[in-house]
Amino acid sequence: GALTVLYSFLLVEKTKKAFGVMQTAMGGTVLCGGLLCATAIIPMEIPALAVFILASIGGAMRNTTNAVLVTDMTSASNRGKIVGLVQRYNMCGRCLGPVIMGHVANIREDLPFIIGGLGASLLSVLFLWAASRMPAVAPEEQSNSASMQPQGEGTPSEKPRQSA
């Protein structure tokens, strides 16, 4: 959680500009999923913890850029509903994940890391694949700044008056 907040405030714009949203999300997916799986096979606690922290940074990259992608792919009229749905499914995973993986850990203690890393990577890759094939949202549909300004007199299709 804290790494996601720090990444969102400090680095998301820099990585988005340097690499692009899709590449940043894919890099975060590879970093998170790959290192989470690696955590399962590292026998010592301190190196495993360091790898887990790096995996968390990858997760922060993925989660933040996925949110940017969802926002970029939706129009202003349905953005709240779509972001709310994404948050609902994220929260379901956060609630059900520990319960399910707790039972999986009874089978083999490294299995939750492997399943979590592979599962998160697979779902992220599917999301990015679907996002890359969606049509772009027109800029006038994407921006809600015009709808937040007061409308001037005249027809609704006219631009709002700019105050001096």
Side-chain angles (χ1 to χ4, degrees):
L3 288 173
T4 302
V5 171
L6 285 173
Y7 176 77
S8 343
F9 284 117
L10 301 176
L11 298 173
V12 70
E13 282 301 317
K14 291 177 183 176
T15 55
K16 183 180 168 184
K17 287 179 183 176
F19 304 109
V21 178
M22 290 292 238
Q23 290 78 6
T24 303
M26 190 58 75
T29 296
V30 169
L31 190 63
C32 179
L35 292 178
L36 198 56
C37 290
T39 302
I41 60 173
I42 297 173
M44 296 169 30
E45 290 178 14
I46 299 297
L49 182 62
V51 169
F52 186 75
I53 290 170
L54 288 174
S56 297
I57 293 170
M61 290 171 63
R62 184 190 67 224
N63 292 340
T64 307
T65 52
N66 283 353
V68 170
L69 284 171
V70 168
T71 302
D72 288 348
M73 293 185 312
T74 56
S75 64
S77 62
N78 69 355
R79 185 171 297 139
K81 180 173 83 172
I82 301 299
V83 170
L85 284 171
V86 169
Q87 286 302 315
R88 177 190 306 171
Y89 295 120
N90 281 339
M91 291 298 117
C92 285
R94 287 177 188 235
C95 292
L96 295 175
V99 172
I100 294 168
M101 291 304 167
H103 291 293
V104 169
N106 288 332
I107 298 168
R108 206 170 102 193
E109 64 184 33
D110 62 346
L111 210 50
F113 293 100
I114 295 168
I115 292 172
L118 293 176
S121 295
L122 177 65
L123 290 174
S124 289
V125 168
L126 287 174
F127 172 78
L128 293 170
W129 176 79
S132 69
R133 280 154 180 63
M134 290 185 67
V137 175
E140 60 273 2
E141 291 178 14
Q142 196 175 49
S143 171
N144 62 359
S145 61
S147 65
M148 300 191 74
Q149 295 176 356
Q151 293 288 330
E153 294 179 21
T155 63
S157 62
E158 291 178 1
K159 291 184 178 181
R161 294 181 187 175
Q162 299 291 327
S163 57

